[in-house]
Amino acid sequence: MEAQSENRAVTRARGRRKQSEKKKPHPKRPYLGREKKLEVQPIAPSKNGELTIGDIARARGREVFPLHFLVECATGYALFLAHGINDIDMIKYQAEEYINRSDTPFELKAYLPFSSLGEALLQMNAISNTSVTEMLIKFIQKNFEPPFHRHVLTTADPFLGVKIVNNVGLSNHTSLLTLSVMRGLREKIDKLIGLQPGELDKAQRQLAHLYKDQKRTILDTKSPVPVSSSSFLQEQVMVVPHRFEGFFNAKGKKNILCTRNLVPGEALYGEKLIHVQNEDGTEVEYRVCDPRRSKLGAAILGGVTNIWIKPGSRVMYVGKVCGVTVSDLSDIVGLDGLVYVVGNSDDVTHMEGKRPNVVTIIENDCYYCHYRMVLGMVDAVFGEIDHPLGEIYRLPTKVVRDGRFIVNNVHFYLKTGGHYMICTKADNMNSKGHIIFSSGDINREFKLLQTVPLDLVEGAYFIDIGGYRMQPE
């Protein structure tokens, strides 16, 4: 009993000792790296209630500096000063009004042309890797006076802007407003830097072919697939223009939709060819447009009101690459037009060597900014997604990624007032391709004009036709 009471006494004593030995709160030690907490300043609205880039800078206690734009193209680097952009309302998003001002808002500060195609390819490789070359650094340093932080630069690729900031020390600003203004600069870049008509197109084609050959060597793609054989239509027909430019009707026992063959004697998938002799003795060859294989042909026969693609158009084809669609687009736009194919396909690889209006851009990392030096602004975008879309929240990751890739390319490369056609597999009318444009603030920039079921094509396909930044009616 004595031993037990002694143990209890010892335990109580230890408890009292531990309680008395509890550590007192340690006084806060000074932290040399600790900065005084910044007070959040409310942004005071302008006199007219607008919110501008200048308002934000002033609210942060900063001086408002001029904003410059760096534009990279196939012929060289251009640097522009944007007058009055700090006073543009960011809420009302008045980029279009700014770009189309009667007094030109852009001042060309400097232009550095590339000395050769090889030098252009070197810079193109750097752009595609989001890296800064010594040539670009020297160009920027030469055209800005120290201290560099007092100059603000915006770029088409925000990641490249960060690299330039780290290398040179310039300030950088990127927003939806500046990206939209950058679109306006890219639409007019050839005129703003004083190039001759067609000079930029020629440089883009040459650089794109060189860049593609380099990429194809790195990727080690398969050998081209030989073109399928074809046969000539035996019956006598009369070919007349279709209501859509670039298409024709061959009238015989029945009307047949066709296109003028840009490569006489060859076909892609064994389609029939038609020879017509003109009054002067010359011959013209047409390719029969099989609506069971051609989505454009199926759309026309399905009642589409307009395809917005015609001879001379610049068209971007993105998504699931289909050689049949590329060949149709190539025939329609003719030698005066261009078809940019973003992606890689063996039959398109073979086709490109004989169709000078087809330019392939091989990119596996799906970053739309990487090929901006070779792909100019286009009149129309044709996109394909080879998956049912369904409800947006139930989409698999790959479908969401493919859809976002098309949206980014349309937003970056399609001209203001241009049109897009999105073809997709669909389970029903509610799973149409336009759903990829339904998220975020950009929804207001895309206007769906028509949805056409492609009943003649094998599989359940729909095609959505819409406009981008359309003028109010």
Side-chain angles (χ1 to χ4, degrees):
M1 293 292 292
E2 293 181 359
Q4 290 179 358
S5 60
E6 183 179 353
N7 289 338
R8 285 194 294 270
V10 171
T11 301
R12 286 194 296 270
R14 286 177 179 175
R16 287 192 295 269
R17 186 167 62 249
K18 284 183 180 181
Q19 187 174 4
S20 63
E21 291 177 355
K22 281 185 179 180
K23 291 185 178 180
K24 297 180 180 180
H26 196 284
K28 290 185 178 179
R29 296 178 181 177
Y31 175 47
L32 297 179
R34 190 186 304 274
E35 297 180 355
K36 184 179 179 180
K37 187 176 181 180
L38 296 175
E39 295 182 4
V40 179
Q41 298 290 336
I43 300 177
S46 301
K47 294 180 180 179
N48 54 4
E50 296 178 347
L51 177 64
T52 68
I53 297 175
D55 292 334
I56 296 176
R58 285 185 288 268
R60 293 174 177 173
R62 299 175 182 173
E63 187 177 347
V64 181
F65 299 122
L67 186 59
H68 294 77
F69 284 77
L70 174 68
V71 182
E72 315 92 339
C73 60
T75 60
Y77 290 123
L79 185 65
F80 293 91
L81 172 61
H83 293 288
I85 192 172
N86 287 320
D87 299 322
I88 301 295
D89 184 8
M90 299 180 68
I91 303 299
K92 294 181 181 177
Y93 203 58
Q94 296 173 332
E96 294 297 328
E97 291 84 347
Y98 173 79
I99 294 167
N100 297 315
R101 272 172 28 180
S102 56
D103 57 322
T104 304
F106 305 116
E107 178 187 345
L108 179 62
K109 300 293 290 185
Y111 173 59
L112 179 62
F114 300 136
S115 60
S116 65
L117 190 59
E119 185 174 72
L121 179 63
L122 180 66
Q123 302 303 313
M124 173 74 187
N125 286 329
I127 291 297
S128 66
N129 293 321
T130 315
S131 58
V132 185
T133 63
E134 184 179 355
M135 179 180 181
L136 180 56
I137 291 177
K138 289 182 177 179
F139 172 67
I140 293 174
Q141 289 177 334
K142 180 180 178 181
N143 291 286
F144 289 106
E145 296 180 358
F148 293 117
H149 72 273
R150 295 180 61 84
H151 305 280
V152 183
L153 184 71
T154 187
T155 55
D157 182 357
F159 298 105
L160 181 68
V162 173
K163 293 285 184 70
I164 293 175
V165 168
N166 294 335
N167 281 273
V168 182
L170 290 171
S171 298
N172 177 257
H173 177 83
T174 301
S175 62
L176 289 177
L177 174 65
T178 58
L179 292 177
S180 184
V181 172
M182 179 68 78
R183 280 177 43 86
L185 270 171
R186 295 182 65 248
E187 286 192 53
K188 304 176 181 180
I189 185 64
D190 53 342
K191 297 178 181 178
L192 291 173
I193 61 179
L195 296 181
Q196 296 297 320
E199 186 177 350
L200 183 58
D201 277 348
K202 181 180 178 181
Q204 287 175 338
R205 291 194 199 199
Q206 293 175 337
L207 183 57
H209 289 308
L210 194 62
Y211 182 67
K212 171 212 62 181
D213 292 340
Q214 172 192 259
K215 279 278 188 178
R216 184 163 289 124
T217 301
I218 295 173
L219 294 175
D220 191 25
T221 57
K222 300 177 182 178
S223 301
V225 175
V227 174
S228 303
S229 61
S230 59
S231 58
F232 294 101
L233 194 68
Q234 300 299 323
E235 62 180 282
Q236 294 293 323
V237 297
M238 179 177 66
V239 178
V240 296
H242 192 272
R243 66 189 180 95
F244 294 140
E245 291 185 69
F247 281 97
F248 299 86
N249 272 330
K251 296 185 175 182
K253 294 180 180 178
K254 58 181 180 179
N255 288 345
I256 301 173
L257 189 66
C258 57
T259 59
R260 185 167 182 171
N261 195 2
L262 198 67
V263 186
E266 291 196 0
L268 182 65
Y269 51 94
E271 64 271 27
K272 299 284 186 180
L273 301 179
I274 302 173
H275 269 186
V276 175
Q277 189 170 14
N278 296 325
E279 294 180 357
D280 60 0
T282 59
E283 284 191 347
V284 180
E285 184 178 285
Y286 298 89
R287 295 171 54 232
V288 172
C289 190
D290 186 351
R292 295 169 299 179
R293 302 288 300 275
S294 169
K295 297 182 179 68
L296 277 170
I300 291 174
L301 296 180
V304 66
T305 56
N306 202 327
I307 62 173
W308 306 104
I309 300 171
K310 59 185 180 180
S313 293
R314 301 300 196 259
V315 182
M316 181 183 192
Y317 179 74
V318 61
K320 178 68 174 179
V321 178
C322 173
V324 176
T325 304
V326 175
S327 66
D328 287 343
L329 292 172
S330 174
D331 283 348
I332 295 168
V333 303
L335 293 176
D336 292 332
L338 278 174
V339 180
Y340 297 100
V341 181
V342 181
N344 189 36
S345 172
D346 292 335
D347 52 359
V348 174
T349 298
H350 176 78
M351 186 191 314
E352 185 185 23
K354 298 182 179 180
R355 290 179 175 264
N357 63 356
V358 175
V359 178
T360 304
I361 299 170
I362 301 175
E363 280 291 341
N364 279 358
D365 54 5
C366 289
Y367 190 48
Y368 61 94
C369 267
H370 283 177
Y371 36 88
R372 62 186 180 276
M373 284 180 62
V374 297
L375 205 161
M377 305 300 286
V378 298
D379 303 298
V381 173
F382 193 101
E384 286 200 47
I385 302 177
D386 197 24
H387 309 281
L389 292 182
E391 297 296 335
I392 190 69
Y393 59 86
R394 297 168 61 185
L395 298 182
T397 303
K398 184 180 185 307
V399 180
V400 173
R401 186 176 67 246
D402 292 347
R404 176 55 53 185
F405 184 49
I406 293 177
V407 171
N408 287 337
N409 277 281
V410 172
H411 195 60
F412 195 82
Y413 294 103
L414 184 58
K415 290 180 179 179
T416 298
H419 294 82
Y420 57 88
M421 304 178 74
I422 307 298
C423 181
T424 181
K425 281 188 175 180
D427 299 325
N428 52 62
M429 284 292 288
N430 294 324
S431 56
K432 54 198 177 195
H434 188 75
I435 197 172
I436 64 176
F437 299 116
S438 62
S439 61
D441 294 335
I442 61 173
N443 180 38
R444 61 182 177 179
E445 300 181 332
F446 300 90
K447 181 180 180 181
L448 178 63
L449 300 176
Q450 188 181 13
T451 298
V452 179
L454 306 183
D455 296 330
L456 298 176
V457 179
E458 183 179 354
Y461 283 93
F462 283 84
I463 191 165
D464 281 358
I465 301 95
Y468 179 65
R469 293 190 178 181
M470 307 297 292
Q471 292 293 330
E473 298 179 358

